[in-house]
Amino acid sequence: MSSNPVAETVASLMPRAKAELTELVAFKSVADFDQFPRSESEAAANWIVAALRAEGFQDVALLDTPDGTQSVYGLLPGPEGAKTVLLYAHYDVQPPLDEAGWDTPPFELTERDGRWFGRGTADCKGGFIMHLLALRALKANGGVPVHVKVIVEGSEEQGTGGLERYAEQHPELLAADTIVIGDAGNFRVGLPTVTSTLRGMTMMRVSVDTLAGNLHSGQFGGAAPDALGALIRVLDSLRAEDGSTTVDGLADGPAWEGLQYDEEQFRKDAKVLDGVSLIGSGTVADRIWARPAVTVLGIDCPPVVGATPSVQSSARALISLRVPPGVDAAEATKLLQAHLEAHTPWGARVRTEQIGQGQPFSADTTSPAYAAMAEAMAVAYPGQEMSYAGQGGSIPLCNTLAALYPRAEILLIGLSEPEAQIHAVNESVSPEELERLSVAEALFLRTYAAG
Ligand SMILES: [Zn+2]
């Protein structure tokens, strides 16, 4: 890689990148303004505005999104007739959680064991620095050959959907031929990976009522219909013996054809206790990326401490259903609702209420942008081939962009490999990953422009 001028430039820019990421990490830009002052998020946004202006971006603006936060936008015009690429990152971060659980201060970038620790180093302030490095490397080596739009969101972690609504209201603003979402991560450090599918999700509240009020379990138990018992049965009906999700009529997505997730490795990553089996069937990748998965998120029932010998008259649960690519989330929601109603025993009264829904996402990996990224990754990661991974969670913005710009190609890359421990205490970024992915992004823009 050292013989490549773009890679040499990125290497020489790494000290500056570290200094900049240190400044950016110092802003406590958590978009929960009851817990963290809004001024911290505003300062981070202004830092990004200044950084884009310094790079020669035009039309740099703070966009007031409907959720009361601000996204930063800028345009770097390329040669006439060139394609347009949108680069995405977000400057808001997860709260630090348990500050005492951090080995170093969460908002002070600290180098330790070859990694840079601090909240947002990987997710996703480092993602913005990656975009800057890629553009600077191209400028130093013949110029940026595409029109570049940058959007840096201010409330990704809160899931308040501000940028999604704003983009829908201003459909021209983010229009692009290709979109690079810099908020995903390699499957492992050193293994170049594009995330090509995301599962969708639906959340549902289910309530079961059987009696006008609670009854003594000695006097009435055995004949009185127990609402909690009914709820347990209906929740259990959502699983087969091996733990696979079984919603009547809901099919699996197509089998996973990308990167495989080694079962032993998965056990380790998920910290599964000795002697406990994984659930589901098929490969691990099938189970977490290509199949539906129900999880019971909570149950309203009497806590053990203070519980009395009573038959419960009502019970409630919140469940999530991860929806695989290729399945419509609205259709999956209907099937889940019908299943819950059909499987509630004893004529118990059941009510379902949908809380939220996001569609799954699936990229066209045969597109020219994917070919260009594979070529770029092979140079940035010598001896490695680009892999495709899925992601079990959802990024609603992907669906918004895919719906607004059906012809745009969407690539998800980024710094959030497993060791980064995003959303947990002791989040960190690997500087080597930042360097290599910046090289990959620069070479991608160049190869894509030429294609
Ligand atoms: Zn993120």
Side-chain angles (χ1 to χ4, degrees):
M1 187 164 102
S2 55
S3 61
N4 186 301
V6 165
E8 275 171 24
T9 306
V10 172
S12 73
L13 290 170
M14 286 305 288
R16 181 179 172 196
K18 185 183 181 188
E20 289 175 325
L21 188 54
T22 303
E23 289 180 29
L24 207 41
V25 165
F27 301 115
K28 301 180 173 77
S29 48
V30 179
D32 171 357
F33 303 133
D34 295 329
Q35 313 287 331
F36 292 83
R38 180 182 287 272
S39 57
E40 293 283 331
S41 281
E42 286 171 353
N46 284 320
W47 191 98
I48 288 163
V49 165
L52 291 179
R53 288 211 173 110
E55 291 307 317
F57 274 76
Q58 302 176 0
D59 307 333
V60 177
L62 288 168
L63 313 176
D64 290 309
T65 57
D67 61 351
T69 67
Q70 292 184 311
S71 293
V72 187
Y73 169 83
L75 168 71
L76 187 67
E80 224 185 283
K83 293 180 218 174
T84 300
V85 177
L86 173 70
L87 305 178
Y88 168 91
H90 62 85
Y91 68 81
D92 70 308
V93 295
Q94 283 281 332
L97 306 170
D98 170 25
E99 290 215 30
W102 284 75
D103 296 329
T104 59
F107 296 106
E108 268 175 46
L109 187 145
T110 311
E111 182 160 0
R112 187 162 54 84
D113 305 326
R115 296 183 65 97
W116 299 344
F117 286 80
R119 177 56 90 219
T121 47
D123 179 22
C124 180
K125 289 171 172 175
F128 177 64
I129 300 291
M130 171 181 82
H131 297 325
L132 282 184
L133 279 169
L135 296 175
R136 287 172 184 162
L138 288 173
K139 280 194 202 165
N141 291 280
V144 180
V146 290
H147 304 294
V148 175
K149 290 178 177 178
V150 164
I151 186 80
V152 190
E153 188 176 3
S155 65
E156 195 276 339
E157 303 292 3
Q158 299 295 319
T160 42
L163 182 57
E164 285 126 74
R165 299 295 85 73
Y166 190 94
E168 284 162 0
Q169 290 160 9
H170 305 80
E172 276 312 299
L173 186 76
L174 302 180
D177 298 297
T178 282
I179 298 166
V180 180
I181 309 271
D183 193 26
N186 287 343
F187 187 68
R188 294 267 162 236
V189 168
L191 183 68
T193 312
V194 174
T195 301
S196 57
T197 67
L198 305 167
R199 283 195 295 196
M201 184 172 77
T202 186
M203 289 236 268
M204 202 169 287
R205 211 177 267 157
V206 50
S207 312
V208 176
D209 294 285
T210 52
L211 302 161
N214 292 352
L215 300 171
H216 191 278
S217 64
Q219 201 178 354
F220 294 97
D226 170 358
L228 182 53
L231 179 65
I232 289 168
R233 286 192 79 116
V234 70
L235 295 179
D236 188 52
S237 75
L238 294 166
R239 290 190 189 286
E241 202 61 35
D242 65 2
S244 306
T245 290
T246 50
V247 176
D248 293 345
L250 181 60
D252 294 341
W256 179 256
E257 283 178 353
L259 194 75
Q260 287 302 326
Y261 202 145
D262 175 71
E263 194 160 328
E264 276 314 303
Q265 187 62 51
F266 180 84
R267 291 188 67 90
K268 250 184 237 160
D269 292 346
K271 301 187 174 77
V272 181
L273 301 180
D274 283 345
V276 181
S277 319
L278 300 187
I279 60 171
S281 64
T283 67
V284 171
D286 281 339
R287 295 180 222 182
I288 59 173
W289 297 331
R291 293 195 177 172
V294 157
T295 306
V296 178
L297 306 179
I299 298 182
D300 283 347
C301 63
V304 172
V305 174
T308 56
S310 303
V311 176
Q312 297 300 311
S313 58
S314 58
R316 228 160 48 130
L318 179 66
I319 55 185
S320 81
L321 171 65
R322 297 286 171 177
V323 180
V327 176
D328 177 50
E331 183 60 29
T333 303
K334 272 191 215 146
L335 291 169
L336 177 59
Q337 227 153 3
H339 178 109
L340 293 168
E341 283 160 14
H343 288 264
T344 301
W346 318 323
R349 294 186 191 167
V350 59
R351 272 174 299 128
T352 56
E353 185 192 349
Q354 191 189 358
I355 308 294
Q357 177 182 297
Q359 290 291 349
F361 168 79
S362 180
D364 174 13
T365 56
T366 62
S367 66
Y370 272 78
M373 186 60 87
E375 212 180 307
M377 290 283 205
V379 178
Y381 290 81
Q384 298 283 354
E385 226 174 89
M386 185 173 87
S387 296
Y388 298 103
Q391 190 170 300
S394 49
I395 303 181
L397 180 70
C398 270
N399 299 303
T400 304
L401 296 175
L404 282 173
Y405 319 116
R407 268 190 240 141
E409 303 172 50
I410 301 182
L411 297 117
L412 292 119
I413 61 169
L415 301 161
S416 298
E417 35 74 29
E419 286 176 49
Q421 293 199 45
I422 60 163
H423 295 201
V425 298
N426 296 316
E427 176 180 349
S428 67
V429 74
S430 155
E432 285 80 23
E433 290 279 275
L434 174 59
E435 186 176 337
R436 288 175 182 186
L437 284 168
S438 302
V439 173
E441 186 167 279
L443 295 177
F444 160 73
L445 292 173
R446 190 185 266 179
T447 307
Y448 177 66

mmCIF file with all atom_site columns, all heavy atoms in Angstrom, residues 129-150:
data_model
loop_
_atom_site.group_PDB
_atom_site.id
_atom_site.type_symbol
_atom_site.label_atom_id
_atom_site.label_alt_id
_atom_site.label_comp_id
_atom_site.label_asym_id
_atom_site.label_entity_id
_atom_site.label_seq_id
_atom_site.pdbx_PDB_ins_code
_atom_site.Cartn_x
_atom_site.Cartn_y
_atom_site.Cartn_z
_atom_site.occupancy
_atom_site.B_iso_or_equiv
_atom_site.pdbx_formal_charge
_atom_site.auth_seq_id
_atom_site.auth_comp_id
_atom_site.auth_asym_id
_atom_site.auth_atom_id
_atom_site.pdbx_PDB_model_num
ATOM 1   N N   . ILE A 1 129 ? -14.365 12.169 9.988   1.00 0.00 ? 129 ILE A N   1
ATOM 2   C CA  . ILE A 1 129 ? -12.922 12.364 9.738   1.00 0.00 ? 129 ILE A CA  1
ATOM 3   C C   . ILE A 1 129 ? -12.472 11.496 8.552   1.00 0.00 ? 129 ILE A C   1
ATOM 4   O O   . ILE A 1 129 ? -11.655 11.925 7.724   1.00 0.00 ? 129 ILE A O   1
ATOM 5   C CB  . ILE A 1 129 ? -12.107 12.021 11.010  1.00 0.00 ? 129 ILE A CB  1
ATOM 6   C CG1 . ILE A 1 129 ? -12.527 12.933 12.176  1.00 0.00 ? 129 ILE A CG1 1
ATOM 7   C CG2 . ILE A 1 129 ? -10.613 12.102 10.745  1.00 0.00 ? 129 ILE A CG2 1
ATOM 8   C CD1 . ILE A 1 129 ? -12.150 14.389 12.033  1.00 0.00 ? 129 ILE A CD1 1
ATOM 9   N N   . MET A 1 130 ? -13.010 10.282 8.450   1.00 0.00 ? 130 MET A N   1
ATOM 10  C CA  . MET A 1 130 ? -12.705 9.411  7.307   1.00 0.00 ? 130 MET A CA  1
ATOM 11  C C   . MET A 1 130 ? -13.065 10.108 5.989   1.00 0.00 ? 130 MET A C   1
ATOM 12  O O   . MET A 1 130 ? -12.274 10.103 5.043   1.00 0.00 ? 130 MET A O   1
ATOM 13  C CB  . MET A 1 130 ? -13.492 8.102  7.455   1.00 0.00 ? 130 MET A CB  1
ATOM 14  C CG  . MET A 1 130 ? -13.449 7.182  6.246   1.00 0.00 ? 130 MET A CG  1
ATOM 15  S SD  . MET A 1 130 ? -14.434 5.670  6.518   1.00 0.00 ? 130 MET A SD  1
ATOM 16  C CE  . MET A 1 130 ? -16.097 6.263  6.138   1.00 0.00 ? 130 MET A CE  1
ATOM 17  N N   . HIS A 1 131 ? -14.251 10.728 5.938   1.00 0.00 ? 131 HIS A N   1
ATOM 18  C CA  . HIS A 1 131 ? -14.645 11.446 4.717   1.00 0.00 ? 131 HIS A CA  1
ATOM 19  C C   . HIS A 1 131 ? -13.658 12.580 4.422   1.00 0.00 ? 131 HIS A C   1
ATOM 20  O O   . HIS A 1 131 ? -13.241 12.777 3.278   1.00 0.00 ? 131 HIS A O   1
ATOM 21  C CB  . HIS A 1 131 ? -16.060 12.019 4.855   1.00 0.00 ? 131 HIS A CB  1
ATOM 22  C CG  . HIS A 1 131 ? -17.139 10.983 5.028   1.00 0.00 ? 131 HIS A CG  1
ATOM 23  N ND1 . HIS A 1 131 ? -17.103 9.750  4.415   1.00 0.00 ? 131 HIS A ND1 1
ATOM 24  C CD2 . HIS A 1 131 ? -18.305 11.021 5.728   1.00 0.00 ? 131 HIS A CD2 1
ATOM 25  C CE1 . HIS A 1 131 ? -18.210 9.070  4.735   1.00 0.00 ? 131 HIS A CE1 1
ATOM 26  N NE2 . HIS A 1 131 ? -18.941 9.811  5.541   1.00 0.00 ? 131 HIS A NE2 1
ATOM 27  N N   . LEU A 1 132 ? -13.273 13.329 5.468   1.00 0.00 ? 132 LEU A N   1
ATOM 28  C CA  . LEU A 1 132 ? -12.317 14.439 5.267   1.00 0.00 ? 132 LEU A CA  1
ATOM 29  C C   . LEU A 1 132 ? -10.990 13.923 4.720   1.00 0.00 ? 132 LEU A C   1
ATOM 30  O O   . LEU A 1 132 ? -10.430 14.495 3.780   1.00 0.00 ? 132 LEU A O   1
ATOM 31  C CB  . LEU A 1 132 ? -12.040 15.161 6.594   1.00 0.00 ? 132 LEU A CB  1
ATOM 32  C CG  . LEU A 1 132 ? -13.078 16.150 7.133   1.00 0.00 ? 132 LEU A CG  1
ATOM 33  C CD1 . LEU A 1 132 ? -12.523 16.799 8.411   1.00 0.00 ? 132 LEU A CD1 1
ATOM 34  C CD2 . LEU A 1 132 ? -13.410 17.228 6.114   1.00 0.00 ? 132 LEU A CD2 1
ATOM 35  N N   . LEU A 1 133 ? -10.482 12.850 5.329   1.00 0.00 ? 133 LEU A N   1
ATOM 36  C CA  . LEU A 1 133 ? -9.196  12.300 4.901   1.00 0.00 ? 133 LEU A CA  1
ATOM 37  C C   . LEU A 1 133 ? -9.248  11.860 3.441   1.00 0.00 ? 133 LEU A C   1
ATOM 38  O O   . LEU A 1 133 ? -8.311  12.119 2.666   1.00 0.00 ? 133 LEU A O   1
ATOM 39  C CB  . LEU A 1 133 ? -8.820  11.093 5.777   1.00 0.00 ? 133 LEU A CB  1
ATOM 40  C CG  . LEU A 1 133 ? -8.191  11.396 7.127   1.00 0.00 ? 133 LEU A CG  1
ATOM 41  C CD1 . LEU A 1 133 ? -8.124  10.125 7.975   1.00 0.00 ? 133 LEU A CD1 1
ATOM 42  C CD2 . LEU A 1 133 ? -6.788  11.985 6.955   1.00 0.00 ? 133 LEU A CD2 1
ATOM 43  N N   . ALA A 1 134 ? -10.324 11.199 3.062   1.00 0.00 ? 134 ALA A N   1
ATOM 44  C CA  . ALA A 1 134 ? -10.455 10.721 1.680   1.00 0.00 ? 134 ALA A CA  1
ATOM 45  C C   . ALA A 1 134 ? -10.430 11.896 0.702   1.00 0.00 ? 134 ALA A C   1
ATOM 46  O O   . ALA A 1 134 ? -9.721  11.861 -0.320  1.00 0.00 ? 134 ALA A O   1
ATOM 47  C CB  . ALA A 1 134 ? -11.750 9.925  1.526   1.00 0.00 ? 134 ALA A CB  1
ATOM 48  N N   . LEU A 1 135 ? -11.166 12.947 1.031   1.00 0.00 ? 135 LEU A N   1
ATOM 49  C CA  . LEU A 1 135 ? -11.230 14.099 0.125   1.00 0.00 ? 135 LEU A CA  1
ATOM 50  C C   . LEU A 1 135 ? -9.887  14.821 0.063   1.00 0.00 ? 135 LEU A C   1
ATOM 51  O O   . LEU A 1 135 ? -9.426  15.230 -1.010  1.00 0.00 ? 135 LEU A O   1
ATOM 52  C CB  . LEU A 1 135 ? -12.335 15.060 0.574   1.00 0.00 ? 135 LEU A CB  1
ATOM 53  C CG  . LEU A 1 135 ? -13.754 14.473 0.500   1.00 0.00 ? 135 LEU A CG  1
ATOM 54  C CD1 . LEU A 1 135 ? -14.775 15.446 1.081   1.00 0.00 ? 135 LEU A CD1 1
ATOM 55  C CD2 . LEU A 1 135 ? -14.135 14.107 -0.935  1.00 0.00 ? 135 LEU A CD2 1
ATOM 56  N N   . ARG A 1 136 ? -9.220  14.970 1.222   1.00 0.00 ? 136 ARG A N   1
ATOM 57  C CA  . ARG A 1 136 ? -7.913  15.646 1.230   1.00 0.00 ? 136 ARG A CA  1
ATOM 58  C C   . ARG A 1 136 ? -6.882  14.857 0.424   1.00 0.00 ? 136 ARG A C   1
ATOM 59  O O   . ARG A 1 136 ? -6.049  15.437 -0.281  1.00 0.00 ? 136 ARG A O   1
ATOM 60  C CB  . ARG A 1 136 ? -7.425  15.806 2.664   1.00 0.00 ? 136 ARG A CB  1
ATOM 61  C CG  . ARG A 1 136 ? -8.186  16.869 3.429   1.00 0.00 ? 136 ARG A CG  1
ATOM 62  C CD  . ARG A 1 136 ? -7.814  16.854 4.899   1.00 0.00 ? 136 ARG A CD  1
ATOM 63  N NE  . ARG A 1 136 ? -8.602  17.813 5.650   1.00 0.00 ? 136 ARG A NE  1
ATOM 64  C CZ  . ARG A 1 136 ? -8.748  17.789 6.967   1.00 0.00 ? 136 ARG A CZ  1
ATOM 65  N NH1 . ARG A 1 136 ? -8.156  16.820 7.678   1.00 0.00 ? 136 ARG A NH1 1
ATOM 66  N NH2 . ARG A 1 136 ? -9.465  18.691 7.577   1.00 0.00 ? 136 ARG A NH2 1
ATOM 67  N N   . ALA A 1 137 ? -6.954  13.539 0.530   1.00 0.00 ? 137 ALA A N   1
ATOM 68  C CA  . ALA A 1 137 ? -5.994  12.714 -0.207  1.00 0.00 ? 137 ALA A CA  1
ATOM 69  C C   . ALA A 1 137 ? -6.204  12.862 -1.707  1.00 0.00 ? 137 ALA A C   1
ATOM 70  O O   . ALA A 1 137 ? -5.237  12.903 -2.482  1.00 0.00 ? 137 ALA A O   1
ATOM 71  C CB  . ALA A 1 137 ? -6.139  11.252 0.204   1.00 0.00 ? 137 ALA A CB  1
ATOM 72  N N   . LEU A 1 138 ? -7.456  12.963 -2.127  1.00 0.00 ? 138 LEU A N   1
ATOM 73  C CA  . LEU A 1 138 ? -7.719  13.138 -3.559  1.00 0.00 ? 138 LEU A CA  1
ATOM 74  C C   . LEU A 1 138 ? -7.267  14.518 -4.028  1.00 0.00 ? 138 LEU A C   1
ATOM 75  O O   . LEU A 1 138 ? -6.677  14.670 -5.094  1.00 0.00 ? 138 LEU A O   1
ATOM 76  C CB  . LEU A 1 138 ? -9.208  12.936 -3.850  1.00 0.00 ? 138 LEU A CB  1
ATOM 77  C CG  . LEU A 1 138 ? -9.696  11.488 -3.765  1.00 0.00 ? 138 LEU A CG  1
ATOM 78  C CD1 . LEU A 1 138 ? -11.211 11.421 -3.899  1.00 0.00 ? 138 LEU A CD1 1
ATOM 79  C CD2 . LEU A 1 138 ? -9.033  10.617 -4.841  1.00 0.00 ? 138 LEU A CD2 1
ATOM 80  N N   . LYS A 1 139 ? -7.536  15.537 -3.197  1.00 0.00 ? 139 LYS A N   1
ATOM 81  C CA  . LYS A 1 139 ? -7.117  16.898 -3.572  1.00 0.00 ? 139 LYS A CA  1
ATOM 82  C C   . LYS A 1 139 ? -5.617  16.986 -3.765  1.00 0.00 ? 139 LYS A C   1
ATOM 83  O O   . LYS A 1 139 ? -5.131  17.691 -4.648  1.00 0.00 ? 139 LYS A O   1
ATOM 84  C CB  . LYS A 1 139 ? -7.523  17.878 -2.474  1.00 0.00 ? 139 LYS A CB  1
ATOM 85  C CG  . LYS A 1 139 ? -8.969  18.276 -2.530  1.00 0.00 ? 139 LYS A CG  1
ATOM 86  C CD  . LYS A 1 139 ? -9.115  19.471 -1.626  1.00 0.00 ? 139 LYS A CD  1
ATOM 87  C CE  . LYS A 1 139 ? -10.530 19.646 -1.183  1.00 0.00 ? 139 LYS A CE  1
ATOM 88  N NZ  . LYS A 1 139 ? -10.589 20.582 -0.045  1.00 0.00 ? 139 LYS A NZ  1
ATOM 89  N N   . ALA A 1 140 ? -4.883  16.269 -2.930  1.00 0.00 ? 140 ALA A N   1
ATOM 90  C CA  . ALA A 1 140 ? -3.422  16.307 -3.005  1.00 0.00 ? 140 ALA A CA  1
ATOM 91  C C   . ALA A 1 140 ? -2.885  15.457 -4.154  1.00 0.00 ? 140 ALA A C   1
ATOM 92  O O   . ALA A 1 140 ? -1.697  15.487 -4.449  1.00 0.00 ? 140 ALA A O   1
ATOM 93  C CB  . ALA A 1 140 ? -2.823  15.812 -1.686  1.00 0.00 ? 140 ALA A CB  1
ATOM 94  N N   . ASN A 1 141 ? -3.769  14.686 -4.782  1.00 0.00 ? 141 ASN A N   1
ATOM 95  C CA  . ASN A 1 141 ? -3.334  13.780 -5.843  1.00 0.00 ? 141 ASN A CA  1
ATOM 96  C C   . ASN A 1 141 ? -4.224  13.899 -7.073  1.00 0.00 ? 141 ASN A C   1
ATOM 97  O O   . ASN A 1 141 ? -4.798  12.924 -7.547  1.00 0.00 ? 141 ASN A O   1
ATOM 98  C CB  . ASN A 1 141 ? -3.336  12.331 -5.343  1.00 0.00 ? 141 ASN A CB  1
ATOM 99  C CG  . ASN A 1 141 ? -2.259  12.081 -4.299  1.00 0.00 ? 141 ASN A CG  1
ATOM 100 O OD1 . ASN A 1 141 ? -1.098  11.891 -4.633  1.00 0.00 ? 141 ASN A OD1 1
ATOM 101 N ND2 . ASN A 1 141 ? -2.650  12.109 -3.032  1.00 0.00 ? 141 ASN A ND2 1
ATOM 102 N N   . GLY A 1 142 ? -4.376  15.106 -7.562  1.00 0.00 ? 142 GLY A N   1
ATOM 103 C CA  . GLY A 1 142 ? -5.064  15.287 -8.839  1.00 0.00 ? 142 GLY A CA  1
ATOM 104 C C   . GLY A 1 142 ? -6.495  15.787 -8.732  1.00 0.00 ? 142 GLY A C   1
ATOM 105 O O   . GLY A 1 142 ? -7.109  16.103 -9.740  1.00 0.00 ? 142 GLY A O   1
ATOM 106 N N   . GLY A 1 143 ? -7.049  15.843 -7.530  1.00 0.00 ? 143 GLY A N   1
ATOM 107 C CA  . GLY A 1 143 ? -8.380  16.436 -7.373  1.00 0.00 ? 143 GLY A CA  1
ATOM 108 C C   . GLY A 1 143 ? -9.470  15.426 -7.119  1.00 0.00 ? 143 GLY A C   1
ATOM 109 O O   . GLY A 1 143 ? -9.300  14.230 -7.298  1.00 0.00 ? 143 GLY A O   1
ATOM 110 N N   . VAL A 1 144 ? -10.611 15.973 -6.690  1.00 0.00 ? 144 VAL A N   1
ATOM 111 C CA  . VAL A 1 144 ? -11.787 15.135 -6.399  1.00 0.00 ? 144 VAL A CA  1
ATOM 112 C C   . VAL A 1 144 ? -12.595 15.017 -7.692  1.00 0.00 ? 144 VAL A C   1
ATOM 113 O O   . VAL A 1 144 ? -13.088 16.018 -8.198  1.00 0.00 ? 144 VAL A O   1
ATOM 114 C CB  . VAL A 1 144 ? -12.643 15.766 -5.269  1.00 0.00 ? 144 VAL A CB  1
ATOM 115 C CG1 . VAL A 1 144 ? -13.855 14.893 -4.970  1.00 0.00 ? 144 VAL A CG1 1
ATOM 116 C CG2 . VAL A 1 144 ? -11.803 15.978 -4.014  1.00 0.00 ? 144 VAL A CG2 1
ATOM 117 N N   . PRO A 1 145 ? -12.736 13.807 -8.227  1.00 0.00 ? 145 PRO A N   1
ATOM 118 C CA  . PRO A 1 145 ? -13.308 13.670 -9.582  1.00 0.00 ? 145 PRO A CA  1
ATOM 119 C C   . PRO A 1 145 ? -14.828 13.577 -9.633  1.00 0.00 ? 145 PRO A C   1
ATOM 120 O O   . PRO A 1 145 ? -15.379 13.290 -10.692 1.00 0.00 ? 145 PRO A O   1
ATOM 121 C CB  . PRO A 1 145 ? -12.669 12.357 -10.063 1.00 0.00 ? 145 PRO A CB  1
ATOM 122 C CG  . PRO A 1 145 ? -12.495 11.558 -8.810  1.00 0.00 ? 145 PRO A CG  1
ATOM 123 C CD  . PRO A 1 145 ? -12.265 12.533 -7.694  1.00 0.00 ? 145 PRO A CD  1
ATOM 124 N N   . VAL A 1 146 ? -15.509 13.770 -8.508  1.00 0.00 ? 146 VAL A N   1
ATOM 125 C CA  . VAL A 1 146 ? -16.983 13.714 -8.492  1.00 0.00 ? 146 VAL A CA  1
ATOM 126 C C   . VAL A 1 146 ? -17.508 14.936 -7.739  1.00 0.00 ? 146 VAL A C   1
ATOM 127 O O   . VAL A 1 146 ? -16.766 15.607 -7.030  1.00 0.00 ? 146 VAL A O   1
ATOM 128 C CB  . VAL A 1 146 ? -17.500 12.428 -7.782  1.00 0.00 ? 146 VAL A CB  1
ATOM 129 C CG1 . VAL A 1 146 ? -17.213 11.190 -8.592  1.00 0.00 ? 146 VAL A CG1 1
ATOM 130 C CG2 . VAL A 1 146 ? -16.908 12.309 -6.376  1.00 0.00 ? 146 VAL A CG2 1
ATOM 131 N N   . HIS A 1 147 ? -18.801 15.218 -7.910  1.00 0.00 ? 147 HIS A N   1
ATOM 132 C CA  . HIS A 1 147 ? -19.452 16.182 -7.022  1.00 0.00 ? 147 HIS A CA  1
ATOM 133 C C   . HIS A 1 147 ? -19.680 15.465 -5.701  1.00 0.00 ? 147 HIS A C   1
ATOM 134 O O   . HIS A 1 147 ? -20.192 14.352 -5.692  1.00 0.00 ? 147 HIS A O   1
ATOM 135 C CB  . HIS A 1 147 ? -20.810 16.625 -7.576  1.00 0.00 ? 147 HIS A CB  1
ATOM 136 C CG  . HIS A 1 147 ? -20.747 17.188 -8.961  1.00 0.00 ? 147 HIS A CG  1
ATOM 137 N ND1 . HIS A 1 147 ? -20.104 18.364 -9.269  1.00 0.00 ? 147 HIS A ND1 1
ATOM 138 C CD2 . HIS A 1 147 ? -21.253 16.730 -10.130 1.00 0.00 ? 147 HIS A CD2 1
ATOM 139 C CE1 . HIS A 1 147 ? -20.220 18.619 -10.561 1.00 0.00 ? 147 HIS A CE1 1
ATOM 140 N NE2 . HIS A 1 147 ? -20.905 17.630 -11.118 1.00 0.00 ? 147 HIS A NE2 1
ATOM 141 N N   . VAL A 1 148 ? -19.292 16.117 -4.614  1.00 0.00 ? 148 VAL A N   1
ATOM 142 C CA  . VAL A 1 148 ? -19.472 15.481 -3.312  1.00 0.00 ? 148 VAL A CA  1
ATOM 143 C C   . VAL A 1 148 ? -20.465 16.282 -2.482  1.00 0.00 ? 148 VAL A C   1
ATOM 144 O O   . VAL A 1 148 ? -20.313 17.492 -2.309  1.00 0.00 ? 148 VAL A O   1
ATOM 145 C CB  . VAL A 1 148 ? -18.130 15.374 -2.556  1.00 0.00 ? 148 VAL A CB  1
ATOM 146 C CG1 . VAL A 1 148 ? -18.358 14.825 -1.143  1.00 0.00 ? 148 VAL A CG1 1
ATOM 147 C CG2 . VAL A 1 148 ? -17.156 14.482 -3.316  1.00 0.00 ? 148 VAL A CG2 1
ATOM 148 N N   . LYS A 1 149 ? -21.497 15.600 -2.016  1.00 0.00 ? 149 LYS A N   1
ATOM 149 C CA  . LYS A 1 149 ? -22.379 16.195 -1.014  1.00 0.00 ? 149 LYS A CA  1
ATOM 150 C C   . LYS A 1 149 ? -22.056 15.506 0.310   1.00 0.00 ? 149 LYS A C   1
ATOM 151 O O   . LYS A 1 149 ? -21.856 14.293 0.337   1.00 0.00 ? 149 LYS A O   1
ATOM 152 C CB  . LYS A 1 149 ? -23.846 15.931 -1.353  1.00 0.00 ? 149 LYS A CB  1
ATOM 153 C CG  . LYS A 1 149 ? -24.350 16.684 -2.575  1.00 0.00 ? 149 LYS A CG  1
ATOM 154 C CD  . LYS A 1 149 ? -25.805 16.314 -2.851  1.00 0.00 ? 149 LYS A CD  1
ATOM 155 C CE  . LYS A 1 149 ? -26.344 17.124 -4.035  1.00 0.00 ? 149 LYS A CE  1
ATOM 156 N NZ  . LYS A 1 149 ? -27.750 16.732 -4.345  1.00 0.00 ? 149 LYS A NZ  1
ATOM 157 N N   . VAL A 1 150 ? -21.986 16.302 1.368   1.00 0.00 ? 150 VAL A N   1
ATOM 158 C CA  . VAL A 1 150 ? -21.779 15.708 2.690   1.00 0.00 ? 150 VAL A CA  1
ATOM 159 C C   . VAL A 1 150 ? -22.984 16.046 3.553   1.00 0.00 ? 150 VAL A C   1
ATOM 160 O O   . VAL A 1 150 ? -23.478 17.187 3.530   1.00 0.00 ? 150 VAL A O   1
ATOM 161 C CB  . VAL A 1 150 ? -20.475 16.237 3.335   1.00 0.00 ? 150 VAL A CB  1
ATOM 162 C CG1 . VAL A 1 150 ? -20.453 15.941 4.835   1.00 0.00 ? 150 VAL A CG1 1
ATOM 163 C CG2 . VAL A 1 150 ? -19.253 15.606 2.670   1.00 0.00 ? 150 VAL A CG2 1
#
